[in-house]
Amino acid sequence: MKKQLSNWIPFFLLFAVSALVYLPFVRRIGLINDDWYLIFAGKAGGADFYSAVFSSDRPMRAFVMSAAYSLFGDHILLYHLSGFLFRVLSGVCAYWLFQMIWQKNRTANTWLAILFVIYPGFLSQVNPIDYQSQLFSLFLAVLSIALSIKAILTSGWAKILLTALAIVTGIFYLGLVEYFFGLEALRVICIYLLHKDRTFVQRAITTFKQWLPSAIIPSGFMFWRVFIFDSERKATDIGAQLQTLSTSPLLNSFWLGLALFQDSFKAAFLAWGVPLYLFTTGLRIREHLLSFGVAGLIIALIIWGSKHLEDDSRSVDNGWTSASTAAGLASVTLSVLPVIFVNRRLLFEVYSRYALGASLGSAMILVGLLFSISNKRIRDGALAVLVLIAALTHFHNGARAVEKTESFRDFWWQVSWRVPDLQPGSTLVGNYPITAIEEDYFVWGPAALIYNPASTDSTVVKPMVYAIVLNEKNLLGIMQGEETPAIERRGILTEPDLKNVLVLSQPTPFSCVHVMDGNFPTISTYEETEIAAAANYSNIELVNSEAEPHTPPFSIFGAEPEHGWCYTFQAASLAGQRGEWETAAELGNKAWDRDMRPDDKSEWLIFLKAYAHLNQFEEVTKIAKDIKKDAMLTHQVCLSLPTQFSDPDTSPEMQRLLTKIFCESK
């Protein structure tokens, strides 16, 4: 009974450590980046629409995403849990694989599986909807290799069945993620490692013979990818990449080799330090305390695991450590090669996904090196350091994802307070306080999910609103009123109109969202230059101020935030657009009485307009003291007096007071 229980220790350690590393924040992390258009695609076109979404580059991804959306819908937590499950199952398969190769090294195989699963170089685990296919593909890849090894060790009909399963899972994982192609080299390496007691020539010949049934996986995939499939994306078009390489083979090969060395070193070694260095700032005290608690639990697990796995770690090193290190180096290099070949680079901040295929090789290297150390205390200490580095890296990465989620949700809840509805065909220009807008669907995606998650066209999936990324070209197009072509991306059609834009900006985390009125733009001192320029062309008439308000769905945007200053500001801004100045003034009075003050002083201006319009001299004088703490804003108010504060209802006395306060007073 005790022996049976001990057999489950590796799996318990693998699950427990992985849970502590990946699960602390999963309930608080929402949609990020490409998740927005993927969820919209499911809502607007149904699960079957993903076949159109992925037809241009990775058509087999549709099987995974369609199944996931059918099961989970827009319940984000379920995607997190399924992504976590695939990581753990990948580790289980890795443990099984190396137990078949090195049967007496249970301790080493356990830590190899753990380091593989918690590999800190892959930072997109917090983005589980978009990366569901990558996580599932990695699981299938390791499973396929393990099935190949098991088939070699088996005879009869079981051998045929296992080989067939290895081929099917192998073809499917490559169809999901083509840049995992280098993992096919690991299959060959593992077959080679299986035959320890033969000469090199004998091992090579035997390896080739036993690998031949699996050769259909890489050869079949390459034939389909090069000669049959027509990729619309150059980055995934192998034929296009071969043509580029042939234009200057010697020079391109040199740069390819240099990049391969650099990124292999990053994936194998720098992943265990650089991401942690990059992401260790900005945590709140509560999160620091939680990270210490997680670290403490992990240390306790390491001590417990080291004690209970101690007997198995005393097996004689018959060369397996050097074999593991060498095989890991080869696996990392060959896993990175397909990425370099298509002119992509491993950058932990933005392209950490390209390290995922190399994660198993990195774990093999580290375990091989550490278990070559005879001193158990030093070895266990080094393992503990690696596990803690990985845990803290993912903890900080999760905390950053929570911060982004909260910022996104706060932004769009404020928009829903200020904008009851949008005119169909509106083109949005957004500015988030802590997240760069790299694609237009970072903005139109959440807007569509709030205001109309259905397609507005019966023949093609088309959102109700569009967006543009505010770069130099688009800003110039807005200023000149240029036409812009329709965009069809992944089966979704958008038709942005640069002559019909609405600017939504939150300049800083302590600002509210500012819905710009191009007739009378109010520009925060903290505003970006491009947004300030575009604000003059923002069409406030795209806001349907008289419509019934839309409530953001809880499953995506969470619970409604408390009604603090920003709620008051948005309500007053909406009242101002409606011409309900008494309502705006009343909101301002209540905010003042409750000691609410904006950190961004430009948010006083809607109340200043209301008080000026109603000729409330005392209130103007009162809030002017706070406005004048911002010298640039004071100057802006002075310049805007002839346009924004000269309506017929504003008395000459009020206009003189405003001039005295903002233009004459020192």
Side-chain angles (χ1 to χ4, degrees):
M1 181 67 178
K2 187 175 181 181
K3 178 67 174 176
Q4 290 178 339
L5 288 174
S6 69
N7 290 334
W8 290 95
I9 290 175
F11 303 106
F12 169 75
L13 281 174
L14 176 63
F15 179 84
V17 172
S18 301
L20 287 170
V21 167
Y22 287 120
L23 298 183
F25 293 111
V26 291
R27 294 183 63 87
R28 298 168 59 194
I29 299 174
L31 301 186
I32 297 174
N33 299 348
D34 288 11
D35 291 345
W36 291 109
Y37 87 81
L38 287 171
I39 290 297
F40 171 78
K43 281 187 168 293
D48 293 339
F49 180 65
Y50 290 111
S51 60
V53 171
F54 298 114
S55 63
S56 64
D57 56 353
R58 301 182 182 110
M60 292 186 74
R61 280 190 66 182
F63 294 106
V64 175
M65 195 61 216
S66 295
Y69 188 79
S70 297
L71 290 170
F72 308 146
D74 56 9
H75 298 286
I76 305 167
L77 176 62
L78 298 179
Y79 293 94
H80 281 290
L81 295 178
S82 66
F84 169 74
L85 176 63
F86 292 144
R87 288 306 293 269
V88 173
L89 290 176
S90 299
V92 170
C93 291
Y95 176 78
W96 177 36
L97 169 64
F98 290 106
Q99 276 294 98
M100 289 186 285
I101 297 173
W102 298 309
Q103 298 93 335
K104 297 181 180 180
N105 298 335
R106 188 173 71 144
T107 298
N109 294 336
T110 299
W111 290 114
L112 195 159
I114 290 173
L115 294 181
F116 163 53
V117 171
I118 65 173
Y119 176 71
F122 176 67
L123 302 169
S124 294
Q125 187 79 23
V126 296
N127 202 181
I129 299 176
D130 187 28
Y131 286 91
Q132 195 81 191
S133 297
Q134 282 86 339
L135 298 173
F136 184 57
S137 176
L138 184 65
F139 158 60
L140 290 182
V142 184
L143 174 62
S144 177
I145 297 170
L147 288 170
S148 291
I149 298 302
K150 185 64 177 176
I152 292 170
L153 299 174
T154 309
S155 59
W157 284 102
K159 184 183 191 74
I160 297 173
L161 177 61
L162 289 168
T163 301
L165 288 173
I167 292 171
V168 170
T169 52
I171 291 173
F172 199 70
Y173 92 79
L174 281 178
L176 289 171
V177 184
E178 78 289 336
Y179 57 80
F180 282 175
F181 187 82
L183 286 172
E184 281 306 296
L186 182 60
R187 189 189 307 272
V188 179
I189 291 169
C190 288
I191 296 173
Y192 181 83
L193 292 174
L194 200 59
H195 306 291
K196 312 175 189 64
D197 302 324
R198 303 184 187 185
T199 65
F200 172 76
V201 175
Q202 290 174 330
R203 293 178 80 178
I205 293 172
T206 303
T207 297
F208 179 74
K209 289 179 179 178
Q210 294 179 338
W211 170 75
L212 272 178
S214 301
I216 192 175
I217 300 171
S219 59
F221 174 77
M222 286 296 291
F223 180 82
W224 171 74
R225 197 77 193 188
V226 175
F227 298 107
I228 299 176
F229 180 67
D230 183 18
S231 177
E232 296 178 15
R233 292 180 63 200
K234 187 176 179 182
T236 59
D237 187 343
I238 296 175
Q241 299 303 328
L242 287 171
Q243 188 176 9
T244 301
L245 184 62
S246 65
T247 57
S248 182
L250 287 178
L251 182 61
N252 287 333
S253 296
F254 170 77
W255 288 114
L256 187 149
L258 180 61
L260 179 62
F261 171 78
Q262 292 173 334
D263 283 9
S264 296
F265 189 75
K266 283 183 185 178
F269 301 107
L270 297 186
W272 298 86
V274 171
L276 179 61
Y277 171 77
L278 292 173
F279 300 149
T280 50
T281 59
L283 284 190
R284 291 168 285 195
I285 294 177
R286 182 181 63 182
E287 290 162 345
H288 274 297
L289 293 175
L290 180 58
S291 71
F292 294 149
V294 169
L297 288 173
I298 288 176
I299 290 172
L301 280 172
I302 292 171
I303 294 172
W304 182 86
S306 177
K307 177 181 177 182
H308 285 80
L309 292 172
E310 183 176 0
D311 292 338
D312 295 287
S313 68
R314 292 174 179 172
S315 59
V316 176
D317 181 1
N318 55 4
W320 77 266
T321 55
S322 57
S324 179
T325 303
L329 285 168
S331 178
V332 168
T333 303
L334 294 170
S335 295
V336 171
L337 179 59
V339 176
I340 301 300
F341 181 74
V342 295
N343 294 316
R344 291 291 188 264
R345 297 300 304 271
L346 169 56
L347 300 172
F348 294 119
E349 302 95 320
V350 289
Y351 295 132
S352 69
R353 59 181 176 271
Y354 295 135
L356 186 57
S359 55
L360 185 53
S362 176
M364 293 171 67
I365 294 169
L366 295 176
V367 167
L369 291 174
L370 292 179
F371 275 79
S372 65
I373 300 172
S374 57
N375 188 307
K376 185 177 184 298
R377 289 186 177 181
I378 295 176
R379 183 175 68 238
D380 288 349
L383 281 168
V385 169
L386 290 175
V387 173
L388 286 175
I389 286 173
L392 291 174
T393 300
H394 289 297
F395 187 93
H396 284 264
N397 190 45
R400 290 172 71 247
V402 169
E403 184 182 16
K404 286 184 178 181
T405 296
E406 292 175 347
S407 177
F408 266 119
R409 289 175 171 175
D410 178 68
F411 183 99
W412 287 103
W413 268 105
Q414 288 193 51
V415 172
S416 74
W417 294 334
R418 172 61 181 87
V419 181
D421 203 355
L422 286 164
Q423 297 292 348
S426 300
T427 296
L428 305 179
V429 175
N431 178 39
Y432 296 131
I434 63 172
T435 302
I437 297 175
E438 299 170 0
E439 301 286 353
D440 56 355
Y441 48 76
F442 286 19
V443 177
W444 69 250
L449 291 172
I450 293 172
Y451 293 102
N452 184 6
S455 174
T456 58
D457 194 307
S458 60
T459 60
V460 65
V461 170
K462 185 166 73 171
M464 168 193 166
V465 295
Y466 318 120
I468 60 167
V469 177
L470 191 63
N471 50 34
E472 183 177 340
K473 177 183 176 182
N474 284 334
L475 177 58
L476 185 61
I478 290 172
M479 291 177 169
Q480 296 179 346
E482 293 181 355
E483 299 288 338
T484 186
I487 302 169
E488 186 170 2
R489 183 195 289 123
R490 294 195 175 278
I492 300 173
L493 178 67
T494 57
E495 298 175 330
D497 181 1
L498 299 184
K499 294 179 285 188
N500 206 31
V501 300
L502 180 68
V503 179
L504 314 172
S505 177
Q506 188 176 6
T508 69
F510 55 80
S511 301
C512 301
V513 176
H514 300 166
V515 179
M516 301 295 190
D517 180 353
N519 298 314
F520 307 108
T522 299
I523 309 300
S524 167
T525 300
Y526 310 104
E527 194 60 84
E528 294 183 3
T529 304
E530 293 83 359
I531 291 291
N536 294 287
Y537 302 88
S538 181
N539 182 4
I540 198 65
E541 296 303 318
L542 296 176
V543 176
N544 189 349
S545 61
E546 302 300 329
E548 288 295 317
H550 288 258
T551 301
F554 174 82
S555 61
I556 296 174
F557 296 93
E560 184 172 7
E562 64 178 21
H563 290 182
W565 167 260
C566 285
Y567 178 83
T568 301
F569 169 72
Q570 304 300 352
S573 298
L574 178 59
Q577 183 183 351
R578 292 170 172 169
E580 299 171 355
W581 295 112
E582 294 83 358
T583 300
E586 184 180 352
L587 287 166
N589 293 336
K590 289 180 179 179
W592 185 274
D593 292 341
R594 295 172 184 170
D595 291 326
M596 292 182 182
R597 304 291 186 273
D599 292 310
D600 187 333
K601 302 306 178 185
S602 69
E603 290 154 16
W604 273 128
L605 297 195
I606 186 61
F607 300 101
L608 184 67
K609 290 180 185 178
Y611 294 144
H613 183 87
L614 299 172
N615 296 301
Q616 296 181 358
F617 293 86
E618 183 178 343
E619 282 72 15
V620 165
T621 304
K622 182 172 58 180
I623 66 170
K625 294 178 182 179
D626 205 31
I627 295 172
K628 292 188 67 177
K629 293 176 182 178
D630 187 328
M632 290 187 64
L633 184 62
T634 301
H635 181 63
Q636 181 184 161
V637 174
C638 175
L639 294 178
S640 67
L641 289 180
T643 56
Q644 296 196 44
F645 296 88
S646 59
D647 61 90
D649 292 322
T650 303
S651 68
E653 292 81 4
M654 175 59 73
Q655 293 181 18
R656 285 194 293 271
L657 175 63
L658 292 171
T659 301
K660 180 179 179 181
I661 292 174
F662 294 105
C663 300
E664 299 175 3
S665 180
K666 302 298 182 183

